[in-house]
Amino acid sequence: MELLSRKQGSRGRLFVLAVVCGLCLGSVRCFGPSQDSEFTFMLPAGRSECFFQTTIKNGSMEVEFQVIAGAGMDVDFTIISPGGVQLIADARRSDGVHLVEPTEQGDYQICFDNSFSRFSEKMVFFEIIIEGQAGDVAGEDDLADVEDSDGNLLEYKLDDIRESMDSLHRRLERSWQMQMVLRAFEARDRNLLEDNLWKVSFWSCASMLVMLCVAFTQVYTVRKLFDDKRRVCT
Amino acid sequence: MGFRGIGFLLHCYLVLAAAMYFDLGEQEEKCIIEEIPEDTLVTGYFLLEPWDLAVTSHSPHFGVTVTIRDPNHEVLMTKRFGKFGKFTFSGHDSGQHYLCFQTNSTRFSVFSGERLKLHLDVQMGEHSIDPSHKIAKDDMETLQNSLMHLIDQMMYIARQQEYQREKEEVFRQIGEDANGKVLWWAVVQTSILLFVGFWQMKRLKDFFIAKKLV
């Protein structure tokens, strides 16, 4: 009798485990392909480039951009909603962060415009962070239904594992985003410094040549003056 | 196989359709710049669609040519794909890699270039989450895959940090070079000025003495 009940109990436990695992993985699977994108691209002079991002209703979208290289280091930035309304327009900014919340269902258009510049092309880095309605974890409601059966230690352990993995994933995503931003800052500073170095060398050389030319010209002119006078005297 | 294939396509489509896209004209090439440390495996998934989904005209065979260049502008990989696909590469140098996409179609008549949408998702690391991953035959396996993905993410972040540190050193070196150069040029210019001043005075003095004006 005891053996039978134990076997049945274990089968029940196994079933619960399978269900919980399934739910675990259901929710784990949806930190699948991340919807956060970041791109660096070259924007040629006099052109405009647009990128599109699909969003769900009532989510939030954060867009951050930085101009990493290019003379002037600024660009026009606009965000146009799926309905065609221009939400944000930044004229000639070198970096910016914008949060669009709540988002409509559809494709947001994110445009960078370099038409005011005729010769200099710009390297632009931008990042889009999308968040769903209440965090990215689906299946949280389903799990609540399972919990009121059996109050098993195993379930709680699995629940803990699932929660730690989710929080770990969220924090890693955040670190990754911060790293991206820092990298963009560093790239921008490095490009600026390399430009400066080249300018310093070039103008120093030019200045030295001008000085030497002026020196010889001065001596020659003064001598020339006296030569003429000499001729006039005699 | 047919059913599975369709399932794969649908899944790919659904997942990539939520990714970011940009427009690509016909025969137009657009490039994305990615800063990648050495020996990192990069996986890219892309999907090509006509701009107006309602107007599926002539259904020509569209394709994408993916060209990847390394920081020295040498071609690392160039490959032609159909409407969607997956490409991977691993760079030997660390630095800015250029991922270029160009459409090509088998149509011979090019009239009023059609706009196309290119959905793109680029991931780093060996255990990227595949949009086509099969719904697990083994639950533990999927859990294991997710854990491997997390581990990969952490390793990627750590490697990026190392790479950042190296670049920071290079940056500091450039800064010190610039400082040194500025100082050196200033010294050289001042000494040239002084030398030229003395030389001019001497020459003119000799000249005037020779001409018996002084």
Side-chain angles (χ1 to χ4, degrees):
Chain A
M1 200 51 69
E2 228 177 291
L3 207 69
L4 202 65
S5 68
R6 210 183 320 148
K7 243 196 192 152
Q8 275 181 346
S10 71
R11 203 178 299 145
R13 220 171 289 159
L14 208 60
F15 173 71
V16 164
L17 169 62
V19 167
V20 169
C21 252
L23 290 168
C24 247
L25 301 164
S27 56
V28 151
R29 192 162 60 89
C30 74
F31 67 66
S34 152
Q35 297 197 14
D36 304 336
S37 19
E38 56 92 16
F39 284 118
T40 312
F41 68 101
M42 197 66 103
L43 185 59
R47 277 192 53 176
S48 154
E49 291 278 350
C50 288
F51 294 84
F52 302 82
Q53 173 71 49
T54 315
T55 49
I56 55 172
K57 200 170 164 57
N58 290 335
S60 81
M61 177 172 82
E62 185 180 340
V63 183
E64 173 165 5
F65 74 97
Q66 262 189 45
V67 182
I68 297 183
M73 306 267 275
D74 51 10
V75 80
D76 284 340
F77 175 74
T78 46
I79 298 185
I80 299 173
S81 76
V85 177
Q86 192 181 65
L87 296 173
I88 289 169
D90 273 345
R92 304 192 69 151
R93 289 273 301 270
S94 68
D95 51 58
V97 183
H98 296 284
L99 180 65
V100 178
E101 188 177 27
T103 54
E104 302 166 16
Q105 172 84 30
D107 294 345
Y108 277 83
Q109 190 175 356
I110 295 164
C111 288
F112 299 94
D113 196 0
N114 195 20
S115 12
F116 55 82
S117 161
R118 261 196 293 160
F119 301 113
S120 68
E121 54 176 13
K122 311 267 160 72
M123 198 189 298
V124 180
F125 156 82
F126 74 100
E127 183 177 47
I128 303 176
I129 302 169
I130 299 270
E131 253 168 76
Q133 280 145 325
D136 279 326
V137 182
E140 220 169 333
D141 304 322
D142 299 335
L143 201 57
D145 294 340
V146 179
E147 268 182 26
D148 55 358
S149 77
D150 225 7
N152 214 333
L153 193 61
L154 196 61
E155 276 173 52
Y156 292 143
K157 289 292 183 197
L158 284 172
D159 201 11
D160 278 345
I161 291 178
R162 177 179 150 267
E163 272 181 39
S164 342
M165 275 176 64
D166 277 345
S167 104
L168 187 62
H169 179 76
R170 265 198 296 273
R171 291 206 184 116
L172 282 176
E173 288 279 312
R174 198 68 199 145
S175 321
W176 177 78
Q177 280 152 17
M178 292 256 75
Q179 234 183 13
M180 210 69 64
V181 170
L182 288 173
R183 201 195 317 164
F185 274 124
E186 190 269 335
R188 186 194 61 184
D189 290 340
R190 189 168 20 100
N191 285 329
L192 209 56
L193 191 61
E194 283 177 358
D195 267 349
N196 282 349
L197 190 63
W198 186 84
K199 273 185 209 165
V200 162
S201 300
F202 176 73
W203 286 111
S204 301
C205 255
S207 174
M208 211 168 65
L209 283 171
V210 165
M211 267 200 289
L212 288 171
C213 283
V214 164
F216 287 124
T217 312
Q218 276 181 334
V219 170
Y220 175 73
T221 315
V222 170
R223 286 179 75 147
K224 196 85 192 297
L225 276 173
F226 283 103
D227 277 342
D228 281 351
K229 220 173 178 176
R230 228 348 173 56
R231 239 174 274 140
V232 169
C233 267
T234 35
Chain B
M1 176 55 207
F3 194 62
R4 244 205 186 157
I6 292 174
F8 160 82
L9 293 186
L10 200 60
H11 202 132
C12 232
Y13 176 85
L14 284 174
V15 165
L16 275 176
M20 198 206 60
Y21 66 90
F22 52 92
D23 65 321
L24 207 58
E26 233 173 289
Q27 307 289 347
E28 194 187 338
E29 185 175 44
K30 282 207 181 158
C31 291
I32 294 286
I33 301 172
E34 290 277 344
E35 186 110 40
I36 301 168
E38 60 187 355
D39 293 334
T40 308
L41 189 74
V42 180
T43 315
Y45 302 98
F46 64 87
L47 170 69
L48 192 66
E49 278 180 342
W51 193 262
D52 283 324
L53 288 165
V55 180
T56 48
S57 59
H58 325 279
S59 63
H61 238 1
F62 283 120
V64 176
T65 308
V66 179
T67 309
I68 298 176
R69 292 202 174 86
D70 70 354
N72 303 325
H73 294 280
E74 283 174 21
V75 176
L76 210 59
M77 182 184 101
T78 196
K79 210 166 165 192
R80 289 176 72 140
F81 291 93
K83 282 203 182 125
F84 60 83
K86 163 183 163 181
F87 61 90
T88 57
F89 71 94
S90 173
H92 299 295
D93 296 324
S94 44
Q96 284 182 339
H97 290 72
Y98 302 85
L99 283 66
C100 295
F101 301 92
Q102 187 175 30
T103 51
N104 45 37
S105 61
T106 55
R107 249 192 332 189
F108 287 110
S109 64
V110 182
F111 57 93
S112 72
E114 228 177 273
R115 273 168 95 195
L116 298 163
K117 277 198 271 197
L118 183 68
H119 297 260
L120 191 61
D121 183 23
V122 177
Q123 291 177 28
M124 322 272 179
E126 279 105 23
H127 299 269
S128 56
I129 289 190
D130 198 340
S132 69
H133 74 265
K134 312 176 207 54
I135 300 174
K137 29 183 172 69
D138 187 353
D139 291 338
M140 280 302 162
E141 204 177 284
T142 314
L143 192 60
Q144 189 180 356
N145 284 341
S146 307
L147 277 173
M148 295 298 281
H149 177 69
L150 280 176
I151 291 174
D152 249 356
Q153 259 189 322
M154 282 192 277
M155 280 176 50
Y156 171 71
I157 288 176
R159 199 180 317 164
Q160 280 282 343
Q161 250 187 339
E162 270 299 315
Y163 181 48
Q164 271 303 106
R165 213 176 298 160
E166 282 170 23
K167 281 203 294 186
E168 180 89 39
E169 269 184 49
V170 170
F171 180 59
R172 205 170 342 123
Q173 194 56 42
I174 293 178
E176 305 212 336
D177 270 349
N179 196 23
K181 278 210 172 123
V182 165
L183 187 64
W184 189 74
W185 279 115
V187 164
V188 164
Q189 281 176 346
T190 311
S191 63
I192 284 186
L193 259 177
L194 288 172
F195 170 73
V196 158
F198 283 128
W199 175 77
Q200 276 186 327
M201 296 304 284
K202 188 164 174 316
R203 278 300 289 260
L204 287 173
K205 194 165 133 188
D206 288 344
F207 176 68
F208 289 148
I209 289 175
K211 299 288 182 192
K212 296 191 180 37
L213 291 165
V214 173

